[in-house]
Amino acid sequence: MKGAVETSCALQTPSRPGRAQHPFSVLGFLTLKGDESGVSQARPLPFPRMGEFKVHRVRFFNYVPSGIRCVAYNNQSNRLAVSRTDGTVEIYNLSANYFQEKFFPGHESRTTEALCWAKGQRLFSAGLNGEIIEYDLQALNIKYSMDAFGGPIWSMAASPSGSQLLIGCEDGSVKLFQINPDKIQFERNFDRQKSRILSLSWHPSGTHIAAGSIDYISVFDVKSGSTTHKMLVDRQYMGVSKRKCIIWGVAFLSDGTVISVDSAGKVQFWDSATGTLVKTHLVANADVQSIAVSDQEDSFVVGTAEGTVFHFQLVSVTSNSSEKQWVRTKPFQHHTHDVRTVAHSPTALISGGTDTHLVIRPLMEKVEVKNYDAALRKITFPHRRLISCSKKRQLLLFQFSHHLDLWRLGSTVATGKHGDTLPLSKDADHLLHLKTKGPENIICSCVSPCGSWIAYSTASRFFLCRLNYEHDNISLHRVSKMPAFLRSAVQILFSEDSTKLFVASNQGSLHIIRLLEGSFKHLHTFQAQPGTVESMCLLAVSPDGNWLAASGTSAGVHVYNVKRLKLHCTVPAYNFPVTALAIAPKTNNLVIAHSDQQIFEYSIPDKQYTEWSRTIQKQGFHYLWLQRDTPITHISFHPKRPMHILLHDAYMFCIIDKSLPLPNDKTLLYNPLPPTNESDVIRRRTAHAFKISKRYKPLLFMDLLDERTLVAVERPLDDIIAQLPPPIKKKKFGT
Amino acid sequence: MAALEEEFTLSAVPLGAGPDGLLGVEQCDKTDQFLITDGGRTVILYKVSDQKPLGSWSVKQGQVITCPAVCNFQTGEYIVVHDSKVLRLWTNEDVNLDKVFKATLSAEVYRILSIPGTEPMVLFKEGAVRGLEALLAEPQQKIEAVISDEEVIKWTKFFMVFRHPALIFITEKHGNYFAYVQKFNSSVVSKYTLLLGQEEKSVIQSFTASLCRKFISLMSLSSDGCIYETLIPIHPSDPEKNQHQKVVRSLLLKTVVSGNARNALSVLDQDHVAVLGPPLPASKECLSIWNTKFQTLQISKELPQGTSGQLWYYGEHLFMLHGKILTVIPYKCEMSSLAGALGKLKHGQDPGTQTMPHFVNWETSQGLGSQNAEPSKRILRRRKIEASVQPEVPASQQLLSTIKKDSEKHIEMELRKFLAIKRTPDFHTVIGDIVIGLLGRCKTEPSFYPRNSLMQLIQMHVLSYSLCPGLMEVALEKTDVQMLQLCLQQFPDIPEAVTCACLKMFLSDAVQEEQMEDQTGILQNGFNPEEDTCGNCDKELSEKPQNTIEETTSCPVIPKRAALLNAVLHSAYSETFLLPHLKDIPAQHITLFLQYLYFLYLKCSENATMTLPGIHPPTLNQIMDWICLLLDANFTVVVMIPEAKSLLLSLYKFVKSQICICSELNKIEVSFRELQKLNQEKNNRELYSIEVLELF
């Protein structure tokens, strides 16, 4: 991902004024290296080669994220809801380093056209199937869906007080719903319009609404439900009359101004009291598809089909004068395709569209401290694992929205040195393509370490399959008659010896199932902690099968004793959500990565943080480590080297060697150069616990297959772009 | 562009029952409020934005209002005349016109004239003028006759000319028209005969006038449907002799309306007039806005129910009777805006030479008021800043007061001290205020011209045209080309008119003289014309063997002029606003400029990167844009000049070559994309590999 790499580079220098000496230490290091290079060449390297691996570099996971359709920002909790074209809804916690903490799986018939927060923390969506859906943010499922009986729904807006919900339908009706504590209730219809209502906006006082349709904008009086004004929009586009002018977005300001954006590339300001056009800005040659206004109403943002986002600000006409004017201040081009939706948080502009990136562009003047939070964020990949791996059979299971792919990795007999590509003696095989039945997306999937089981789940069904390998043939046998309580899983995990299956259901309970040849037996269910219904999104089991760790999004990590079937302990809750969990072999240390890039090591037998964890918390992580902008999604361990922790995010892979000293801010965290000419002394001095490789990116999965072999699954951005529809072409030369 | 907005009516009640329609629409002391005097007996006060009457007053049955009600801007009272001689004064609180102050005059009043900033004047039918206060003090005073017996006043207007009121009125006698101009500071009446030219037969239907520097531009709409302009001097060169001068009118716009109906005319701004009347004899009446400069119809609006042939224009509203209903049409003529001006931004800047603060922090420039509204957690942080700001506010205030009285030298010193202080977030507005302060004094004191201080301020890189609007005008007036060059280099938002004025000056002979004048002074201020582009290219040139034709090898202008012209090339502009101004440049200058641009183009094409040597050279795009602009604006002129013929031919050739280049570039772009695709496919083939990795 080009954008993110650039930002992290750009930020290193200006963001840490307090660490001015850092570059000098690097320089000093370099000169020293030159001085003693002659001496060291002949000597053998005294350090053991701690990290030489054969890496299976996999790029055939042809995953394409769905385009972003809507974003909705919740000021109260500083969370962002994002819906994608496949109906998936994701929740990002902007306070927790933009971590994607929850998601609701998509559904083929549920294309979301509108998304909004109401009554504080309640999330609603509406779509072309004509239903309004409320999401349960605790249990991570759909609370209810309700047909609005108006045909496909194109737009939705919650009233400023949050107690009413307004939807715009295909048949031209605008319907008002009352939001009750448990459900929503239809209240009444507004005056029916001629054609579909594509956009809606409430006046901040809640007395009027503006509705954008085709060729005109209507202003309704909420009390009477009648149209007070109808503002016709010019179809003309640069002198050419287009067939229709679609009002993609409207925004109603408290002074009565209505701002509209339309398919002719215009941003227009209307006076809703008189129904007259006040001002027009022609911003694009293509559609302007989205608009969002800040809470203070002093700035707004629009997104165009050309991928440009324009920032408008209310600015004084001259200094000292109170007269203010909307001025187009900043254009941003972070997208290649249509910007389908925008949002305006108090400190940032958020945009998303067909090119699948979620872009968060902080407003520099609103950011108090110019630190890493001020950097542009581009989120492309989900913050959860889509890949699981069978170490024994060298299998990779890829999870797509509606199917699973099972691949067997190839092999080689050759050896080589760092950087070599080895000739393959056997290529990778595509073993299985498993399509789900029904319209629901797959939530999670897992292949057992032995490779004989595949389990996956959709929102309403849980599937368990047994794989039989006979020479080159594979037969798949679905285990039928799943128990009633196993309807939907948030996370699935097999024990190391593949005899047990752990399933986290969306009611907060954890099921343990014993797997037998071709059948299963329900062993136990850990019920949710009394008073909570939070689902456990992350699971980890110890290699000896005795301990099970489970974590939700906010509460701490629970550790269960699988033998005694009881809760062993709870790791104290931390401010930031957990992004990855793993239990180390032998020591049974639980390693927890959080979205603020902190890593904790907790000894399960001792029920306390380990000494190493305390040391690193005391000393603090290297500042470059904390500035990484993607979360750690997977942690694993080396079977023979208990001091090593392997972990990765989307842009780097790291081995933490706990026996080495921790780096401080003056040390070079990432050194891509092989230390060929270095003396013993220098190596000893500069060696630190974090061994980082940035060779594979964007990295979706990395795991250790055996002592000397790694598997890395990359998904190059170019391959994703190649699968998107072509963007609007802009001529570079001539006129 | 001029535009008429959606009309609205002021009252559903039919007005103008009389055959002459309304008596008048007059401004009030409060914005947005207007006094409408009906032909009969009623005066109504309207608030236009609310479309609502605020008050209505009528005279008694039997009395007739003879002169439109006006507002006394000094006292806020309303004044009306009924039965030609009876003056009534009242305020908003009064209900009955019968019970208000009344004064009966000795002569018949033609009109009461009132404009903001001065006391109302009373124009009598005999041509005499009295101030209202003087008249009220002694209502029965004798009023002399100024005009002859059969002369009838047709039209009048009251102006403020350089803070002094001046009055013009037109009289008619047997088809001859006379203009009287009376100024109250000298109380001299000048009389002019309007010569109608060939169209002796035509009757003038409507007058309108505006101030145009030292003249009153009197426009008249004749029955032949044409608009004529007459320039009447405000300050007659010799008032004694010019008691009876003749002024000629010139045709401004031809046949804008069909002459038979009742038509009206009103001047809107210096380039636009509004005309009311049917465009063709048979057609319905129309309100049209004409641009007098380009002689073009800007916009027209049909008024199917007919009008009374009366038109009033105040602020942004045009008033007329449409049918029997008073209709208001808002009119807007957008001036060139900042956004428009920035349509073509400067580009190709070296980061070292110019550090323009393109990123203006709007937050900080909005003053302390908005900061208080910030979320509370920012308050602490803010408080610190405010604390540091407070002691500096007096510093700038102090400087401003210094500017008002002290000598240039002293100001310079104080300024240097001030600039040494650490910059505050609103630094640019403070600098702007200082410049405005300096300019203010320049205007009042012609000898005061703090050139060094101004140069120093401009070089702070924080000013823009909008922050100190008068600066370039003053520099133009003083023909201070160095200052203009600096401004052109520094300001991102110079209006096209000013850019063009600079260009005009740079091309004129003024530049040559200046160079002799004070070379040392120039160098002292850090301005060194030799440093600039063309100094370099000129030197280079002389070293080269002259193998091409003479015209293309030598720079057609001296280095200094070249440096100045380069500054113009770098400035930002918007084509639509620049083009009209370019037309005003004389043909010789155009040719010279074109020659220079062509020379630059040739220099550009000499190397592969298509750039010019020097520190801050114009880019190829800028050169091309300016060539196109100049040709667009002046093609008909240039084509007639024999010297320009070869130049045009070569220009034609290079335009052709440009088109070739563009098409080739497009082809190359497509080829590259194909290559990229091929490359990608190649990469895709390596979907799986086993590599060796060592972590260090």
Side-chain angles (χ1 to χ4, degrees), chain B residues 211-245:
Chain B
L211 276 181
C212 180
R213 286 175 196 189
K214 290 170 179 168
F215 293 94
I216 295 171
S217 157
L218 177 72
M219 288 184 203
S220 46
L221 179 65
S222 284
S223 53
D224 58 355
C226 302
I227 296 175
Y228 298 89
E229 187 184 28
T230 313
L231 291 177
I232 298 170
I234 298 168
H235 306 288
S237 44
D238 189 354
E240 301 304 311
K241 281 188 189 165
N242 290 324
Q243 272 305 322
H244 204 91
Q245 229 176 17

Side-chain angles (χ1 to χ4, degrees), chain A residues 622 624 652-653 667-673 688 690-695 697, chain B residues 695:
Chain A
H622 193 277
L624 290 177
M652 64 102 217
F653 155 64
T667 26
L668 191 65
L669 181 68
Y670 167 58
N671 182 16
L673 298 165
H688 59 75
F690 291 76
K691 309 288 172 196
I692 293 173
S693 165
K694 295 190 180 178
R695 186 146 154 198
K697 50 193 176 182
Chain B
L695 286 171

Side-chain angles (χ1 to χ4, degrees), chain A residues 49 51-57 59 313 368 410 418-420 422 427 655 675 691 693 695 719, chain B residues 361-363 366 377-378 381 429 662 665-666 673 684 686-696:
Chain A
R49 293 199 160 214
E52 202 186 65
F53 297 102
K54 270 184 196 173
V55 182
H56 293 261
R57 188 172 194 172
R59 292 178 164 188
Q313 282 173 284
E368 288 178 43
H418 174 67
D420 285 356
L422 304 174
D427 207 349
I655 298 178
K691 309 288 172 196
S693 165
R695 186 146 154 198
D719 297 356
Chain B
N361 192 344
W362 300 111
E363 286 284 297
Q366 283 173 7
K377 63 172 176 174
R378 298 187 65 173
R381 207 180 296 277
T429 49
C662 280
L665 280 174
N666 278 324
R673 197 173 301 144
N684 280 358
E686 297 172 21
L687 285 176
Y688 178 61
S689 60
I690 300 178
E691 295 174 6
V692 180
L693 170 79
E694 192 185 344
L695 286 171
F696 307 107

Side-chain angles (χ1 to χ4, degrees), chain A residues 668-700:
Chain A
L668 191 65
L669 181 68
Y670 167 58
N671 182 16
L673 298 165
T676 45
N677 308 336
E678 281 174 36
S679 80
D680 202 11
V681 184
I682 298 305
R683 289 208 63 187
R684 219 181 271 282
R685 192 185 291 166
T686 54
H688 59 75
F690 291 76
K691 309 288 172 196
I692 293 173
S693 165
K694 295 190 180 178
R695 186 146 154 198
Y696 311 105
K697 50 193 176 182
L699 187 60
L700 297 192

Side-chain angles (χ1 to χ4, degrees), chain A residues 86-89 103-107 110 135 140 142 441-443 458-459:
Chain A
D86 67 349
T88 310
V89 173
F103 88 101
F104 300 92
H107 191 282
R110 236 174 33 213
Y135 296 90
L140 300 188
I142 285 163
N441 285 14
I442 298 172
I443 302 175
T458 66

Side-chain angles (χ1 to χ4, degrees), chain A residues 7 62 137 158 178 184 269 466 550 574 596 600 628 659-660:
Chain A
T7 49
N62 50 352
L137 294 172
Q178 191 71 38
I184 54 170
F269 296 82
R466 171 86 184 166
Y574 182 67
D596 62 346
F600 294 94
R628 291 177 303 111
S659 61
L660 288 177

Side-chain angles (χ1 to χ4, degrees), chain B residues 121-136:
Chain B
M121 292 288 166
V122 180
L123 174 65
F124 290 92
K125 283 197 174 154
E126 311 276 63
V129 182
R130 290 285 188 278
L132 184 71
E133 293 304 319
L135 202 61
L136 292 179

